Amino acid sequence: MTSIAPQTLSDRELDETFAPLFDRIAAGAVQREIDRRLPHEEVGWLRAANFGALRVPVEFGGFGVSTRRLFSLLIDLAAAESNLPQALRVHFAFVEDQLLAAPGPDRERWLRAVAGGALVGNAITEPGVGAVDRYRTTLTPDGPDWRLNGVKYYSTGSLYADYILVAADRHGERVSVLVDAAAAGVRLHDDWDGFGQRLTASGTTEFDNVAITSDRITGPGYGAAGPTYSTAYLQLVQLAVLAGIARRAEADVRAWVSERTRSYTHAAAALPRRDPLVQQVIGQLSAAAFTARATVLAVADRLDVVLDAGAGDHDELAALELASAQAQLGVIDVVLAATTRLFEVGGASIVSERLRLDRHWRNARTISVHNPAIQKARAIGDHLLNGTELPFAWSAGTREQAR
């Protein structure tokens, strides 16, 4: 695929640029699921189209789109292949961190690298430890530089990435380290065994005495104290995935019903597409997709305001975090219900492995257990009733340290 020269494009031009690519990705989604084939080729198509540089300013070689436009396109991509936006989640957060950084050569270096096609994965969470303040992954001195050692899990997207953002401990200090994915001592494993989102490459990453230069230590590690935009941002990517799943589920089921000629002796119509009960289910699926998308974009609008202002206002960050948490509860309920209800339009034939319509529920259920909704619901209630701080990324570590 020929690389697209980044430039300022209208919304219509962006759709015309990426819609054919998303259609091409969608065409192989069911077969990839059946074969459990990681979409390396499809990531290459996105790389060639400079999809990872959507938020990079035009002057550095990107498209310079708004946060709202980014999330609109992430929903579209999720409708084509729900694994891909999740795999790119930390990549886009990394780009956002660079946009918020002080102007200088390091910021420009990484923004231009992304505009050149570089993708960033993650290695934050550790098996049995978590993702906040008990990292066993360590940086130790090696002359003027460092050596990285440790094991990570849930390394989403790293098998597709050029760089891996690693959370590590350096003499008791949490730091972020940007590691070359192909560096000596880095070993990546596709051993994610979840029943959904199977192609996100969310498995184990090992770092065995990996050489790290000081310029690759990019700042505080995940879980640094204080309110942050990133908790809501990362959550919203998951909700965009759910919105895309809802849209694809509705489209798949509608296409299946439209071609179906077999009905039941007790059905309300001879053809399923004429049956008012089947029509009702399709209407409900359509409403779920609309509601999920509208909710995600409403929070994305808040993100635009917060990010454009530098993401430093505590009250604005708290309002954004609340909106993201509320959206999480609403979107999860709507999409899980829709991906269950879709099976009501047919008999046993709708559960055919060939169709893989179950992947929509499995994928939605898997996405929904990230940052468990029951914990968010409680946190929202505590915040509204008692003024308790909402759970930003640092909260769990802070509470642990206080015990």
Side-chain angles (χ1 to χ4, degrees):
M1 178 179 290
T2 302
S3 295
I4 296 171
Q7 55 189 299
T8 302
L9 299 178
S10 68
D11 285 353
R12 179 177 178 179
E13 288 171 326
L14 282 166
D15 288 336
E16 290 173 348
T17 296
F18 290 108
L21 173 55
F22 296 158
D23 289 343
R24 188 180 177 195
I25 290 171
V30 172
Q31 196 59 49
R32 283 193 299 274
E33 176 76 14
I34 292 171
D35 297 339
R36 203 188 187 285
R37 178 180 69 78
L38 293 179
H40 287 287
E41 183 178 14
E42 290 76 9
V43 170
W45 300 344
L46 292 171
R47 190 193 306 273
N50 229 21
F51 188 80
L54 282 168
R55 285 280 289 157
V56 173
V58 172
E59 59 265 33
F60 295 135
F63 290 101
V65 306
S66 67
T67 310
R68 178 189 175 90
R69 198 69 185 91
L70 167 65
F71 277 90
S72 176
L73 289 166
L74 287 175
I75 293 170
D76 294 344
L77 175 59
E81 172 56 85
S82 68
N83 292 278
L84 289 177
Q86 185 184 358
L88 294 172
R89 186 170 70 133
V90 169
H91 169 85
F92 283 110
F94 172 81
V95 172
E96 212 63 56
D97 283 342
Q98 304 315 303
L99 294 174
L100 291 169
D106 287 341
R107 176 180 184 269
E108 181 172 347
R109 170 192 180 190
W110 292 115
L111 289 174
R112 289 195 180 280
V114 170
L119 296 176
V120 178
N122 93 94
I124 296 173
T125 301
E126 300 191 7
V129 176
V132 180
D133 65 341
R134 293 160 296 215
Y135 297 130
R136 300 189 188 104
T137 299
T138 58
L139 276 176
T140 53
D142 180 29
D145 296 316
W146 305 85
R147 292 284 174 173
L148 180 70
N149 287 277
V151 178
K152 298 287 187 175
Y153 194 54
Y154 300 123
S155 305
T156 306
S158 290
L159 277 165
Y160 308 125
D162 303 283
Y163 301 99
I164 304 172
L165 193 64
V166 183
D169 180 276
R170 181 180 64 176
H171 302 316
E173 174 193 17
R174 294 191 297 270
V175 294
S176 293
V177 185
L178 201 59
V179 180
D180 288 5
V186 177
R187 291 189 293 275
L188 298 144
H189 306 279
D190 178 28
D191 56 354
W192 161 240
D193 65 351
F195 62 60
Q197 293 296 100
R198 292 170 170 171
L199 308 182
T200 54
S202 296
T204 301
T205 305
E206 299 177 82
F207 301 97
D208 182 12
N209 218 31
V210 180
I212 303 294
T213 54
S214 294
D215 66 316
R216 291 300 187 88
I217 302 173
T218 62
Y222 179 84
T228 173
Y229 83 92
S230 62
T231 312
Y233 191 102
L234 292 168
Q235 183 65 68
L236 197 60
V237 176
Q238 307 286 40
L239 301 187
V241 173
L242 284 168
I245 289 171
R247 193 173 99 193
R248 178 56 58 184
E250 185 272 337
D252 284 353
V253 174
R254 177 159 44 88
W256 186 80
V257 168
S258 296
E259 297 176 358
R260 186 169 167 80
T261 57
R262 180 170 173 264
S263 190
Y264 304 94
T265 55
H266 55 288
L271 289 174
R273 69 177 181 272
R274 302 294 184 190
D275 190 320
L277 297 178
V278 173
Q279 293 169 354
Q280 177 181 332
V281 173
I282 298 299
Q284 290 168 331
L285 298 183
S286 175
F290 175 86
T291 299
R293 183 184 183 90
T295 302
V296 169
L297 296 182
V299 181
D301 284 337
R302 284 181 173 268
L303 256 174
D304 264 321
V305 172
V306 168
L307 294 172
D308 288 348
D313 185 286
H314 180 282
D315 291 340
E316 289 291 339
L317 289 171
L320 172 63
E321 184 69 13
L322 177 60
S324 173
Q326 291 168 327
Q328 179 185 357
L329 299 183
V331 170
I332 286 174
D333 283 353
V334 165
V335 176
L336 285 180
T339 53
T340 300
R341 188 175 297 121
L342 67 84
F343 294 100
E344 299 298 331
V345 302
S349 56
I350 200 171
V351 300
S352 168
E353 287 276 22
R354 177 181 57 82
L355 299 174
R356 292 286 167 132
L357 292 175
D358 62 304
R359 80 187 191 279
H360 298 311
W361 182 87
R362 288 188 288 100
N363 290 340
R365 181 68 275 180
T366 300
I367 285 289
S368 298
V369 297
H370 290 71
N371 308 315
I374 57 170
Q375 303 294 346
K376 285 291 183 70
R378 182 211 59 78
I380 291 170
D382 194 14
H383 172 74
L384 295 176
L385 288 170
N386 305 309
T388 305
E389 189 83 69
L390 287 162
F392 293 95
W394 53 270
S395 302
T398 302
R399 284 198 299 273
E400 183 68 28
Q401 291 165 3
R403 290 176 185 170

